[in-house]
Amino acid sequence: MKIKWALLTILFTIATVLTGCDNPLMVLDPKGPVAATQADVIMISIWTMAFVVLVVMVLYIFMIMKYRASKQRDDYEPPHIEGSKVLEIIWVAIPILIVAFLSVVTVKTTNEVEATPKGYGDQEPLIIYASSSNWKWHFSYPEEDIETVNYLFLPTNRPIEFKLYSFGPISSFWIPQLGGQKYAMSDMVNTLHLAADVPGEYMGRNSNFSGSGFAQQTFNVNVLSPEDYDKWVDEIKATAKPITEEKFNELLKPGHVGQSTYTGTHLEFSPAPEGENAGHDHGSSDTEENDSKDSHEEHSEHSNMNHDH
Amino acid sequence: MKELFPRGQVMGFAFSLVLTLVALSVIMFDLSLKMAMIILLVTAFMQAALQLVMFMHAGESEDKASIYTNVYYGLFVALVTIFGTMLTMIWGYQ
Amino acid sequence: MDYFDRFAVPHPSPAIYASMVAIGLTMIAVVAGITYFKKWGYLWREWLTTVDHKRIGIMYILAALLMLFRGGVDALMMRAQTAIPDNGLLDGQHYNEVFTTHGVVMILFMAMPFIIGLMNIVTPLQIGARDVAFPRLNAVSFWLFFMGAMLFNISFVVGGSPDAGWTSYFPLASNDFSESVGSNYYAIAIQIAGIGTLLTGINFIVTILKMRAPGMNLMKMPMFTWSILITNFIIVFAFPVLTVALALMTMDRLFGTQFFTMANGGSDMLWANLFWVWGHPEVYIVILPAFGIYSEIISTFARRNLYGYNSMVISMVAISTLSFIVWAHHFYTMGHGAMVNGIFSITTMAIAVPTGVKIFNWLFTLWKGKIVFTVPMLYSLAFIPIFTLGGVTGVMLAMASADYQYHNTMFLVAHFHYVLIPGTVFAVLAGFTYWWPKMFGFMLSEKIGKWSFWFITIGFNVTFFPMFITGLDGQARRMYTYSESTGYGPLNMLSFVGAIGLAIGFALIVYNIYWSTRYASRNISNDPWDARSLEWATHTPIPEYNFAIVPTVDSTEAFWDAKKKALNYLAVK
Amino acid sequence: MKIDNSLPLEYSTEENRLKIFGFWIFLGAEIALFATLFATYFVLVDGTGNGPTGEHLFKLPTLMFQTIFLLTSSFTIGLGINAMRLGRQKATIGFFIITLILGLGFLGVEIYEFVEYVHEGATIQTSAFLSSLFTLLGTHGAHVTLGLFWEPSSSCRSKSAV
């Protein structure tokens, strides 16, 4: 039974890796409330499922050890057994209970991660427009009126709402240590709620395949204390150049561009596809944070621009 | 001559014309969208059932049970595809 | 675009030229060989124009094995490229084509035809029929599949392989971002093969429902036949969705329609939605027959009847229904609210219940049995724990809130390989070994078979288990490279080592076929495994009409019962 | 060939029974096919882009004609089969011809409708809404067309059976 030993060894290694604190796996090393919720859900599901695997493995090992032909008499005739109502009801009922339990956990936590993180409700969220283009990320801070490319600065202890959309293929915005991912698409804006508790530098990336430069479509996330964050904003405002439409169109061309910083945001001349700019209407409104005075004409220009690759 | 026009089929035809008129009335009278959709869906389903039973002889062969199972399963998949797609593509973003 | 550009390789690389030369040389060798041995007439009469379900089945399996190696080479290239950080073996574009073709080939041109091949050979025999309901249509299905597969495979020689992933998400797969013709081959080749599959679905439903031996009512059918019946219902209702989706894709790419475009009202999400409305049932299309195969093999080699026959049938019907209402779990992160994601989480997790029923029924089929560890049985037994891991990680992925962290990561890649390799590949290998003597009149070597089994099973775990870990450590799928600082290097190297083990295992299977064809004894009985269902009741080699006298059936294991009563069943032997 | 006279004509041989049953299964696939096209249409119906909307395009009379043609044709083909089972050759052929004409009428109106749309600047490439509309109607039209070719060929065969 080499395979079982191999499996057990691997499982053991995993367990040590999961619990060992030296170099914990990113997803299980949360630095914000959303990622923490998700790590909890993952651990709950791992333990529940470990129980299921254990039951199956015990039965399995028992069956193949005890009933192998080499351990039976030569003339042993296995009996004809139709089944057992009681046993079959048990292995329907228990999985239903497990699934019901996990369903409750899922529904509760899904609602949680889709809202402003708990304990942050009293604060005004920091809204950041995160848009992708082949193969980079543009971050617009309307509140601060600045824009960065391929890196993010975030304050701790403040709820953050990312408004996600794309100037090209579907991309997925993901900062594993702050929380799960969501798609950025060309014809609508998705909202991702995150928050960071611990200052530090984290990895962010596009995790949805989007063409040949996809592997390097990453960005740095710098989480700072609110004071340091304000300092950083002031510094940008003092030193960076304003973003112009030409400059932005230059940036949109496929390729890798490294990091850069601007004052102003591209939302002024190239608004996000939300509200009246949305590609298709999903019934009721996404909240209108975007107060640019764009007209439909501008929007159609914008979508044509998407198209002219 | 009479045997060429079986009563059932003539009645079925008349009924399907009535159903069409009902469906058309939705456009004639300015009904609310919800009402209109309900009427259209109900008449469309009755129409489809009528065609299957009356004119396509769904129930006359030895495979009646299999044929009905197949059609019901098809309808289940159709409803799931249509309403599921509406749910994931439109209604799910409220 | 220049006329020539449509047919030229857009970015030639030595590997592509080498493959072109290899394909050319192989074709010349095959043609020359057939001519030299004067086999053209035989080939044409006995194989290319055959409508015999057994021969069509063998051709399906042959094509599937070829495709297994094509997809396997792709897999090896991927693992080799990612084995070390910042590796330059393949560039981004080439890597994208490799994983795209790996996915399409393995699912549609390996798993599907392998299963359809086994179903062609076995189903009519198991129900005591002389052929399928529409033999000529059956041949048409095969040739549609085969032409689709070939069209897809030559795409990289004549125009460039598709490069937008096997899911071909829009707008990435639109003319704007996928300028080469590869995605056109994707749309058209899969369409052709898919129509063949749809016709197979209709053919086998009619065969199973209308042509069973007298006395074999539905609840006396062998479990494999049951699984095939249900699979074909899923095919008939899921494949039209693919037909439509691919047609819309073709029109978008070739005729300028606006279904999935970024402007003029198109919806890229609609493609993802339609793809998975078909794509999720598709998963069960390749897994349910495997469940049938395992049911046959486990009960044969535990020397016992299948435990809980009724609940096995009910659970498969339940899975087939559930398979149509879970597809949105493939795109929880597309932005629907918690309500939609909650609903689809629950329906998805619900599949664990009928699947669990099957696992426990198999375990209890072993209970009080007399287990013989033949090669088919080894695959079936290895399936249980590995598939359980695949299943429980599936439940983990089904939980929407947590899925935001697994989506698009190597964790997901590990999960579906843990489901599809034991769930489909092990099953077709087991079935192939199990029914081989019935097809060809000799057994495959058990010794070589066991070696390949251990290479495949251990190699598989070594390849895919590390991906659970790198996934949780933030490695996204489909990345052709990563930097050393990520720390993904060692585990990816381990995966590569495992992949080599898998490759050796598959090479041993080929060697086994060669060895056994040359040296195995031709002197075997009609029922070498001491099996239980009707396909073993007829002669080996199977006469063209299958059964001289159509057998009468009065239990789920008619052949076994007849053997026990020492009846000279069907006047065999 | 073994012919069973207790059943309606079409079911009299095993081969025909298999074919009719297979056709029913195929109809199941057709349900899924049209459901997908409808789902596509419902999702994209508001995706009019810069093109015209449905309200702008649809006209009641053409809709009326198409519906009546189709309903009547399924009625007359039903009568045709009834006549065939009664062995009334002339009546059978008569009903079949009426059915053919009705089918052609439907196609005529549909083609007229398409030409009108294109004249108003509504082509299959204009917007997602129109792509889905043309595809849905076109697929249906293609089915009617196939039926038009199939009907005469199968009635020729059944004529020889009568």
Side-chain angles (χ1 to χ4, degrees):
Chain A
M1 296 287 92
K2 287 174 234 168
I3 175 188
K4 253 182 334 258
W5 286 116
L7 270 178
L8 278 178
T9 326
I10 295 170
L11 273 174
F12 220 76
T13 335
I14 308 319
T16 9
V17 172
L18 288 184
T19 47
C21 291
D22 275 3
N23 182 18
L25 301 176
M26 238 180 233
V27 164
L28 300 177
D29 181 26
K31 303 292 182 193
V34 177
T37 307
Q38 286 161 331
D40 288 347
V41 174
I42 291 171
M43 288 322 290
I44 290 173
S45 65
I46 286 182
W47 289 119
T48 318
M49 290 298 114
F51 164 74
V52 175
V53 173
L54 186 77
V55 171
V56 171
M57 286 311 285
V58 166
L59 267 174
Y60 175 75
I61 292 169
F62 169 77
M63 295 294 180
I64 60 174
M65 287 302 174
K66 180 146 188 224
Y67 297 110
R68 41 182 47 213
S70 54
K71 289 205 176 162
Q72 316 275 25
R73 300 186 318 272
D74 269 354
D75 60 345
Y76 171 66
E77 272 285 318
H80 182 94
I81 308 168
E82 279 299 329
S84 152
K85 281 254 160 58
V86 181
L87 278 177
E88 285 170 45
I89 287 170
I90 289 176
W91 61 60
V92 171
I94 293 177
I96 286 180
L97 290 178
I98 295 175
V99 166
F101 162 66
L102 292 178
S103 298
V104 173
V105 173
T106 307
V107 170
K108 191 171 157 288
T109 53
T110 307
N111 276 297
E112 252 171 66
V113 301
E114 289 288 355
T116 310
K118 250 189 223 151
Y120 290 76
D122 50 338
Q123 295 185 58
E124 185 69 14
L126 170 65
I127 289 161
I128 300 173
Y129 282 75
S131 50
S132 76
S133 67
N134 277 354
W135 291 275
K136 43 205 145 353
W137 286 97
H138 312 266
F139 301 105
S140 314
Y141 295 68
E143 191 183 305
E144 283 83 359
D145 202 32
I146 53 178
E147 176 150 329
T148 62
V149 175
N150 286 339
Y151 78 101
L152 254 178
F153 271 81
L154 301 174
T156 52
N157 298 318
R158 185 169 172 195
I160 299 157
E161 268 182 37
F162 286 101
K163 298 287 179 187
L164 309 171
Y165 59 101
S166 166
F167 289 95
I170 298 177
S171 312
S172 196
F173 176 88
W174 190 30
I175 310 170
Q177 288 182 284
L178 297 187
Q181 64 199 288
K182 207 170 248 190
Y183 283 178
M185 295 176 292
S186 61
D187 59 355
M188 63 181 277
V189 167
N190 272 334
T191 303
L192 178 67
H193 298 270
L194 294 180
D197 292 335
V198 191
E201 226 183 284
Y202 308 120
M203 185 274 280
R205 66 164 301 119
N206 166 23
S207 62
N208 194 62
F209 173 59
S210 61
S212 53
F214 152 74
Q216 293 94 345
Q217 195 179 352
T218 56
F219 55 93
N220 276 356
V221 185
N222 299 287
V223 176
L224 306 172
S225 65
E227 302 78 52
D228 289 346
Y229 173 77
D230 289 338
K231 243 185 263 169
W232 171 76
V233 171
D234 292 340
E235 205 183 298
I236 299 294
K237 288 202 154 166
T239 56
K241 288 190 186 130
I243 186 146
T244 60
E245 198 162 354
E246 284 145 66
K247 180 67 203 164
F248 185 66
N249 288 342
E250 188 73 20
L251 284 173
L252 284 182
K253 285 183 185 150
H256 297 286
V257 297
Q259 302 183 344
S260 51
T261 318
Y262 307 92
T263 57
T265 67
H266 73 257
L267 300 171
E268 285 142 32
F269 45 82
S270 183
E274 63 185 345
E276 58 175 316
N277 294 311
H280 55 268
D281 189 15
H282 284 306
S284 78
S285 57
D286 273 319
T287 37
E288 267 285 344
E289 266 94 14
N290 172 18
D291 53 3
S292 56
K293 295 162 274 307
D294 43 80
S295 67
H296 258 290
E297 255 166 73
E298 262 172 310
H299 167 239
S300 54
E301 238 167 66
H302 149 98
S303 40
N304 286 340
M305 187 182 62
N306 280 337
H307 228 57
D308 288 340
H309 282 278
Chain B
M1 203 56 198
K2 213 172 168 190
E3 62 174 7
L4 285 179
F5 293 93
R7 227 182 122 100
Q9 295 200 17
V10 177
M11 296 284 285
F13 179 55
F15 192 55
S16 74
L17 286 181
V18 172
L19 281 177
T20 312
L21 281 178
V22 174
L24 280 176
S25 72
V26 172
I27 305 171
M28 300 294 212
F29 309 107
D30 252 343
L31 290 171
S32 74
L33 187 72
K34 210 171 171 187
M35 251 332 252
M37 280 310 283
I38 291 170
I39 293 177
L40 280 178
L41 275 177
V42 170
T43 52
F45 264 92
M46 286 170 74
Q47 194 74 264
L50 196 74
Q51 296 288 327
L52 284 178
V53 178
M54 271 297 162
F55 301 121
M56 300 182 68
H57 312 283
E60 70 178 16
S61 75
E62 62 198 16
D63 305 310
K64 202 168 154 180
S66 308
I67 287 173
Y68 277 120
T69 312
N70 185 54
V71 171
Y72 288 141
Y73 202 70
L75 287 177
F76 162 74
V77 173
L79 290 175
V80 163
T81 307
I82 293 174
F83 287 100
T85 300
M86 299 297 278
L87 187 67
T88 57
M89 293 289 99
I90 295 186
W91 300 329
Y93 292 88
Q94 304 299 337
Chain C
M1 198 183 279
D2 264 337
Y3 182 78
F4 182 71
D5 284 353
R6 295 214 146 232
F7 298 95
V9 181
H11 39 81
S13 87
I16 288 182
Y17 282 130
S19 330
M20 284 160 83
V21 172
I23 290 173
L25 288 179
T26 315
M27 297 219 329
I28 291 169
V30 169
V31 170
I34 296 171
T35 314
Y36 180 78
F37 291 106
K38 297 200 173 68
K39 290 288 186 192
W40 283 109
Y42 166 78
L43 198 66
W44 178 257
R45 279 189 309 276
E46 303 289 321
W47 293 95
L48 300 184
T49 58
T50 186
V51 295
D52 180 353
H53 70 97
K54 302 176 283 290
R55 298 204 161 183
I56 289 175
I58 289 171
M59 291 196 291
Y60 266 118
I61 292 176
L62 213 66
L65 280 173
L66 270 177
M67 292 297 106
L68 176 71
F69 283 91
R70 203 256 138 121
V73 169
D74 285 342
L76 267 181
M77 292 203 287
M78 278 148 66
R79 295 273 61 84
Q81 162 63 22
T82 51
I84 49 173
D86 300 312
N87 196 358
L89 184 67
L90 304 176
D91 63 13
Q93 176 63 26
H94 198 172
Y95 187 82
N96 298 344
E97 295 182 13
V98 167
F99 74 68
T100 302
T101 50
H102 169 76
V104 174
V105 164
M106 285 304 200
I107 298 276
L108 288 157
F109 301 131
M110 189 284 287
M112 291 292 286
F114 216 135
I115 277 161
I116 293 175
L118 289 173
M119 136 171 129
N120 256 289
I121 293 162
V122 178
T123 313
L125 292 169
Q126 273 199 338
I127 61 173
R130 287 188 169 151
D131 205 326
V132 295
F134 311 111
R136 250 175 302 170
L137 187 70
N138 200 21
V140 170
S141 292
F142 170 75
W143 287 109
L144 282 171
F145 146 72
F146 188 76
M147 292 304 161
M150 289 305 112
L151 184 61
F152 186 85
N153 273 283
I154 60 166
S155 71
F156 88 107
V157 178
V158 294
S161 291
D163 57 0
W166 90 282
T167 49
S168 262
Y169 268 21
F170 275 78
L172 182 63
S174 69
N175 287 329
D176 297 338
F177 298 102
S178 185
E179 289 162 24
S180 80
V181 292
S183 290
N184 299 342
Y185 283 97
Y186 172 97
I188 293 167
I190 298 178
Q191 182 72 284
I192 294 171
I195 289 168
T197 307
L198 180 62
L199 297 176
T200 299
I202 295 169
N203 207 341
F204 276 82
I205 292 178
V206 179
T207 307
I208 296 173
L209 287 179
K210 298 277 290 179
M211 298 173 71
R212 294 190 307 276
M216 185 186 277
N217 61 33
L218 285 178
M219 292 313 267
K220 288 197 175 68
M221 288 197 310
M223 200 48 65
F224 178 69
T225 302
W226 253 117
S227 73
I228 293 303
L229 177 64
I230 293 169
T231 301
N232 283 301
F233 268 106
I234 307 181
I235 287 178
V236 164
F237 292 112
F239 267 74
V241 182
L242 178 71
T243 305
V244 171
L246 290 173
L248 305 188
M249 174 179 180
T250 312
M251 291 204 286
D252 258 19
R253 286 189 59 91
L254 298 181
F255 309 129
T257 53
Q258 309 283 348
F259 291 102
F260 312 123
T261 53
M262 297 201 297
N264 296 323
S267 167
D268 47 5
M269 294 144 70
L270 181 63
W271 165 266
N273 182 72
L274 293 181
F275 184 87
W276 289 115
V277 170
W278 160 78
H280 202 83
E282 167 68 12
V283 173
Y284 293 92
I285 292 171
V286 294
I287 279 185
L288 285 181
F291 290 173
I293 294 171
Y294 290 132
S295 300
E296 299 288 329
I297 291 176
I298 290 177
S299 86
T300 299
F301 296 107
R303 306 267 174 251
R304 256 211 49 202
N305 65 315
L306 190 65
Y307 194 87
Y309 179 96
N310 292 341
S311 60
M312 285 301 228
V313 173
I314 294 167
S315 61
M316 277 199 289
V317 173
I319 290 173
S320 78
T321 310
L322 286 170
S323 76
F324 282 99
I325 54 174
V326 299
W327 76 89
H329 68 218
H330 293 273
F331 43 85
Y332 282 145
T333 53
M334 206 177 256
H336 344 101
M339 189 261 294
V340 172
N341 283 352
I343 293 172
F344 281 97
S345 292
I346 295 169
T347 54
T348 306
M349 283 192 274
I351 292 189
V353 177
T355 314
V357 168
K358 304 193 76 70
I359 295 275
F360 286 111
N361 276 332
W362 285 316
L363 286 174
F364 273 77
T365 303
L366 301 173
W367 182 51
K368 293 191 176 173
K370 194 177 181 184
I371 305 168
V372 192
F373 295 95
T374 59
V375 171
M377 188 61 164
L378 283 175
Y379 280 114
S380 310
L381 289 176
F383 152 80
I384 293 176
I386 302 176
F387 186 79
T388 304
L389 271 184
V392 296
T393 49
V395 174
M396 290 168 67
L397 279 152
M399 301 172 74
S401 52
D403 178 75
Y404 297 171
Q405 291 280 29
Y406 307 128
H407 186 72
N408 273 331
T409 66
M410 295 307 277
F411 189 92
L412 169 80
V413 176
H415 156 71
F416 69 71
H417 284 92
Y418 262 81
V419 173
L420 284 173
I421 290 188
T424 302
V425 179
F426 281 22
V428 293
L429 293 178
F432 171 72
T433 319
Y434 178 63
W435 283 302
W436 179 277
K438 196 84 245 171
M439 292 185 243
F440 297 107
F442 60 92
M443 317 261 297
L444 288 173
S445 156
E446 281 281 298
K447 195 173 151 213
I448 308 174
K450 280 179 185 167
W451 273 103
S452 54
F453 165 78
W454 285 110
F455 267 106
I456 288 173
T457 308
I458 295 172
F460 163 77
N461 283 293
V462 175
T463 309
F464 292 102
F465 204 94
M467 294 181 190
F468 283 124
I469 306 168
T470 55
L472 288 177
D473 204 16
Q475 187 184 356
R477 68 195 291 211
R478 296 172 169 181
M479 274 162 55
Y480 81 96
T481 190
Y482 51 88
S483 67
E484 192 162 2
S485 61
T486 54
Y488 305 147
L491 285 171
N492 278 283
M493 178 52 93
L494 189 61
S495 278
F496 176 56
V497 172
I500 292 173
L502 271 170
I504 296 172
F506 284 112
L508 280 174
I509 288 179
V510 176
Y511 176 67
N512 194 1
I513 294 173
Y514 164 78
W515 189 91
S516 308
T517 309
R518 286 201 70 168
Y519 304 112
S521 160
R522 286 344 194 229
N523 189 17
I524 59 162
S525 74
N526 294 329
D527 178 24
W529 303 113
D530 193 14
R532 314 172 84 85
S533 45
L534 277 186
E535 72 270 29
W536 304 100
T538 186
H539 296 274
T540 302
I542 313 163
E544 210 184 314
Y545 44 83
N546 293 351
F547 296 93
I549 311 156
V550 174
T552 311
V553 172
D554 56 4
S555 77
T556 54
E557 298 186 306
F559 179 53
W560 179 258
D561 292 346
K563 281 197 289 190
K564 288 302 113 178
K565 288 178 207 144
L567 288 177
N568 188 3
Y569 203 59
L570 310 174
V572 173
K573 284 180 191 170
Chain D
M1 206 186 310
K2 198 174 69 190
I3 292 186
D4 181 351
N5 288 318
S6 65
L7 283 165
L9 193 62
E10 317 89 273
Y11 298 97
S12 52
T13 64
E14 181 62 25
E15 197 193 334
N16 274 356
R17 282 199 287 270
L18 289 180
K19 278 186 182 158
I20 292 171
F21 185 57
F23 200 78
W24 275 106
I25 306 293
F26 174 67
L27 274 182
E30 292 278 79
I31 293 176
L33 183 112
F34 275 99
T36 314
L37 287 171
F38 270 110
T40 305
Y41 175 72
F42 289 144
V43 169
L44 298 177
V45 69
D46 291 327
T48 49
N50 298 323
T53 61
E55 277 159 15
H56 183 83
L57 285 178
F58 300 147
K59 296 202 175 56
L60 200 53
T62 45
L63 266 177
M64 274 283 281
F65 277 122
Q66 292 181 350
T67 316
I68 304 247
F69 279 151
L70 278 190
L71 288 178
T72 315
S73 73
S74 72
F75 174 56
T76 54
I77 193 95
L79 294 179
I81 287 166
N82 179 59
M84 180 184 80
R85 288 176 179 181
L86 295 170
R88 302 271 296 260
Q89 195 176 339
K90 265 196 194 135
T92 309
I93 293 171
F95 281 126
F96 281 178
I97 288 174
I98 295 172
T99 310
L100 268 183
I101 292 170
L102 288 167
L104 280 172
F106 169 83
L107 276 184
V109 176
E110 182 157 71
I111 290 166
Y112 165 79
E113 192 186 21
F114 278 13
V115 172
E116 284 285 287
Y117 287 175
V118 174
H119 272 298
E120 289 181 47
T123 71
I124 196 168
Q125 300 173 328
T126 308
S127 68
F129 157 66
L130 287 167
S131 299
S132 62
L133 179 72
F134 276 108
T135 308
L136 177 59
L137 297 180
T139 312
H140 182 236
H143 276 73
V144 176
T145 314
L146 273 182
L148 284 180
F149 283 111
W150 195 346
E151 206 232 78
S153 77
S154 57
S155 18
C156 284
R157 262 182 286 158
S158 58
K159 194 180 135 197
S160 57
V162 173

